[in-house]
Amino acid sequence: MDASGATGAQADEIGRRVGARVTLLDAQDVPVGDSALGVAALARMGTLRDRPEVIAARRNPIGEASRREPGAGQPTLYIAIRIDPEEESSGVIRLSASLEPVQAARRAVRPPLYLTAFVVLPAAALLGRLTARRLARRLVGLSRAASRIGGGRTDVRAPAGGADETALLARSLNRMSEAIDERARLLTRERNLLRTVLSAMVEGVLLTDVGGTILLANEAFAKIFRTDGPLEGRRPLEVARVPALQQAIDAALGAAAPIQREIALGAGEDRVVRASLSPVREGSLIVGAVAVFHDVTEIKRLEKVRREFVANVSHELRTPLTAIKGYAETLRDGGLSDPRMAAESVDVIHRHAERLRALIEDLLDLSAIEQGMAALKIGAVPIAEVVAQATAVIDPAARAGNLRLNVEIPDDLPRARADRDRLAQVLINLLDNAVKFTREGGRIDVMAGREEGSVVIAVRDTGIGIPGSEVERIFERFHKVDRSRDRKNGGTGLGLAIARHLVQAMGGSIRVESVEGEGTTFHVRLPIA
């Protein structure tokens, strides 16, 4: 067999193995073997250098092309492979195969594909539509939940089933809602706590905006200024009708630091309110004002009472001390050599010393009663016996003043719940005052009776009476209607104050009725034992 025959046999062997037509080309791209042609036909082919697959194989190790050959019914696929990939001038193996099987397979698979598309595409469209509607419904649900949460409904939760993006979004939205709900509960708790604190405060609290309109006011403020109706949204002058209050708020809104004001409430009430005001700032801007009000009326009154008390004590002590000092100097400067002068001086000194003792004892007694340190033995007290005890003490003074002392106590009068000795002290003080301020030939009556579950003891005299302007102050310490006469009779000005505190300590009350020039009546009311 010559070389051409051997090469043809190799092409036949390779073609049989790969199942395709095989053509072997030499370095000049001339066919030297073909699995589909004989030697004679192969000699007539000539060079294949102009074939696209061969040209591509010379440039690259592998070339590919497909075309319809003249006289052929179906296109053919050609693949040319350089035998030595590293050597461009090496021989080439070209494989060729008809595309008819591929076209037949394509024609065979086309009807099933059309059928599948006809069935699957509508199903896919329906499934897609259902999926899109489900997704749209979930998005609408998320949108509604977000709108409700934004509107304050922190209890709303979005459905968060699944693991897709909408489920993740729903869970994030729910976590946000829970966080907002927790913050809202915290804010509500803090607001309720603030309202509770403000409601429990005895001081009035007022908060305004930068225009002076009330944002918040507690109950104490309403009580102090005696306002009616809602306060929020109104100006202080509208609710309180106190110009000084509005002026204080306006001053605070323009102040650089906290300020203090004292506001006198009019209408004859003689009430004083102390205000502590401060601007409310956000950064460098003033956004409102806050004010705290203290009703200092009682403090002012107590300060006045204290000043009067100090002045009265000083005055009451000065008089006997001056007398004692003067008469002691008289005795020192030679008065002892004059028996009459010495006796008179010693008598004056003794009398004023006794007055000092009585004053100090009354002050100590009143202080102990006011501080709750006075020991009271509360029990069932027979009024008739206590009245007899008190009148026995006062009777000598009444006889000396030519006064008639009359006692009217019913036999069936129930016992009072009181301290026997302290009640006797109260009645002695009242009877002593009656004796002092009743003109000679006058009358003093002690009466008792039962009224609305209480025992009432009345001490009535026909004395000089008390001016109407003095009646309200008669129980104040050192308050004396007629100071010159009271001092002459040795009074300390504390008897009625002691009587009031003792009666109150025993759970009762005391009041006075008087007509100037006609007489006075004291009523002591005590609970029935």
Side-chain angles (χ1 to χ4, degrees):
M1 180 181 291
D2 57 8
S4 298
T7 304
Q10 291 177 350
D12 292 340
E13 179 64 20
I14 296 172
R16 186 170 56 254
R17 291 183 178 182
V18 300
R21 178 185 175 184
V22 176
T23 304
L24 299 179
L25 306 179
D26 60 10
Q28 286 74 35
D29 297 328
V30 175
V32 293
D34 192 305
S35 62
L37 298 177
V39 176
L42 185 64
R44 292 193 297 271
M45 287 184 64
T47 183
L48 301 180
R49 184 176 297 174
D50 59 344
R51 299 294 193 270
E53 64 274 14
V54 176
I55 295 173
R58 291 300 178 187
R59 295 176 181 174
N60 301 293
I62 298 176
E64 178 183 344
S66 62
R67 59 183 177 273
R68 191 185 303 273
E69 293 293 347
Q74 296 295 332
T76 302
L77 175 64
Y78 295 95
I79 296 177
I81 303 173
R82 196 188 313 164
I83 297 175
D84 186 356
E86 302 298 330
E87 181 61 42
E88 294 184 3
S89 61
S90 69
V92 174
I93 298 176
R94 189 182 75 167
L95 305 178
S96 62
S98 174
L99 293 179
E100 172 60 26
V102 176
Q103 295 293 336
R106 183 182 299 176
R107 287 192 298 272
V109 80
R110 189 173 296 160
L113 285 177
Y114 289 158
L115 179 61
T116 301
F118 181 77
V119 174
V120 170
L121 287 180
L126 179 60
L127 180 61
R129 181 177 179 83
L130 292 177
T131 302
R133 289 183 62 181
R134 179 173 175 272
L135 179 60
R137 282 197 301 269
R138 296 186 66 180
L139 291 176
V140 170
L142 290 176
S143 176
R144 289 176 179 174
S147 298
R148 291 177 181 176
I149 293 172
R153 290 283 305 278
T154 56
D155 59 327
V156 174
R157 296 292 183 270
D164 57 0
E165 288 77 4
T166 56
L168 295 176
L169 177 60
R171 286 193 282 272
S172 298
L173 187 63
N174 290 340
R175 286 194 297 270
M176 181 186 70
S177 178
E178 291 170 1
I180 294 175
D181 190 30
E182 180 63 26
R183 290 177 180 271
R185 284 198 299 268
L186 180 61
L187 289 175
T188 301
R189 191 180 307 120
E190 291 179 350
R191 182 182 61 191
N192 293 337
L193 178 61
L194 175 62
R195 289 188 178 277
T196 302
V197 171
L198 291 178
S199 298
M201 291 177 63
V202 296
E203 297 84 2
V205 178
L206 181 70
L207 178 66
T208 72
D209 60 14
V210 69
T213 301
I214 297 175
L215 300 177
L216 176 67
N218 65 350
E219 295 177 4
F221 173 84
K223 290 180 180 178
I224 291 174
F225 289 94
R226 298 179 182 176
T227 61
D228 295 323
L231 304 181
E232 287 77 6
R234 302 167 67 188
R235 292 176 63 81
L237 185 60
E238 298 176 16
V239 300
R241 302 297 181 184
V242 179
L245 171 62
Q246 185 67 56
Q247 294 169 5
I249 294 295
D250 293 341
L253 289 171
I259 60 175
Q260 302 283 334
R261 291 285 189 276
E262 280 198 357
I263 302 173
L265 303 184
E269 297 179 349
D270 195 23
R271 294 171 58 222
V272 180
V273 175
R274 182 173 298 154
S276 301
L277 307 101
S278 177
V280 178
R281 298 180 180 275
E282 287 185 1
S284 60
L285 298 177
I286 294 178
V287 296
V290 62
V292 179
F293 301 92
H294 306 261
D295 191 340
V296 295
T297 303
E298 183 64 15
I299 296 176
K300 292 289 186 181
R301 188 190 70 80
L302 292 177
E303 288 178 353
K304 180 180 178 182
V305 170
R306 179 183 58 81
R307 289 194 299 268
E308 292 180 352
F309 175 75
V310 172
N312 288 331
V313 169
S314 300
H315 181 75
E316 293 295 332
L317 292 175
R318 184 186 299 115
T319 300
L321 286 175
T322 301
I324 291 172
K325 181 175 182 294
Y327 281 94
E329 290 175 350
T330 299
L331 293 176
R332 184 193 63 185
D333 294 340
L336 290 173
S337 60
D338 185 347
R340 186 184 62 81
M341 178 63 72
E344 181 182 349
S345 298
V346 170
D347 181 64
V348 172
I349 290 173
H350 178 269
R351 187 169 68 251
H352 284 285
E354 185 65 23
R355 177 175 172 78
L356 282 176
R357 182 196 62 79
L359 178 62
I360 292 172
E361 287 183 354
D362 282 351
L363 284 173
L364 293 175
D365 199 12
L366 180 59
S367 176
I369 296 170
E370 288 181 337
Q371 296 178 20
M373 298 174 62
L376 297 178
K377 298 179 181 179
I378 303 297
V381 177
I383 300 300
E385 294 181 10
V386 179
V387 171
Q389 178 183 343
T391 54
V393 175
I394 296 298
D395 188 62
R399 290 179 182 276
N402 192 24
L403 302 175
R404 288 177 295 168
L405 188 57
N406 180 51
V407 177
E408 297 180 11
I409 306 294
D411 295 335
D412 60 347
L413 184 68
R415 296 190 176 200
R417 184 177 179 276
D419 182 305
R420 180 180 183 127
D421 293 336
R422 291 298 192 176
L423 179 57
Q425 181 182 354
V426 171
L427 295 178
I428 289 172
N429 278 335
L430 297 179
L431 289 170
D432 184 57
N433 277 340
V435 170
K436 289 177 182 178
F437 296 104
T438 301
R439 302 179 186 89
E440 187 176 355
R443 176 174 173 168
I444 300 174
D445 296 318
V446 181
M447 300 166 291
R450 179 173 182 171
E451 293 182 7
E452 298 178 356
S454 300
V455 175
V456 179
I457 307 170
V459 177
R460 182 176 63 195
D461 64 57
T462 58
I464 62 175
I466 304 171
S469 59
E470 304 286 340
V471 171
E472 295 296 329
R473 303 186 60 195
I474 197 66
F475 292 104
E476 293 180 7
R477 291 170 292 186
F478 294 113
H479 185 75
K480 300 174 183 178
V481 177
D482 188 343
R483 290 186 174 273
S484 62
R485 180 172 179 179
D486 191 64
R487 188 176 298 113
K488 180 180 178 181
N489 291 318
T492 62
L494 297 174
L496 290 179
I498 293 174
R500 181 185 64 176
H501 284 287
L502 282 175
V503 172
Q504 290 177 347
M506 291 185 288
S509 62
I510 184 171
R511 64 183 180 88
V512 61
E513 296 176 352
S514 184
V515 177
E516 189 173 7
E518 296 183 9
T520 302
T521 303
F522 285 90
H523 300 270
V524 177
R525 181 182 294 271
L526 295 169
I528 294 177

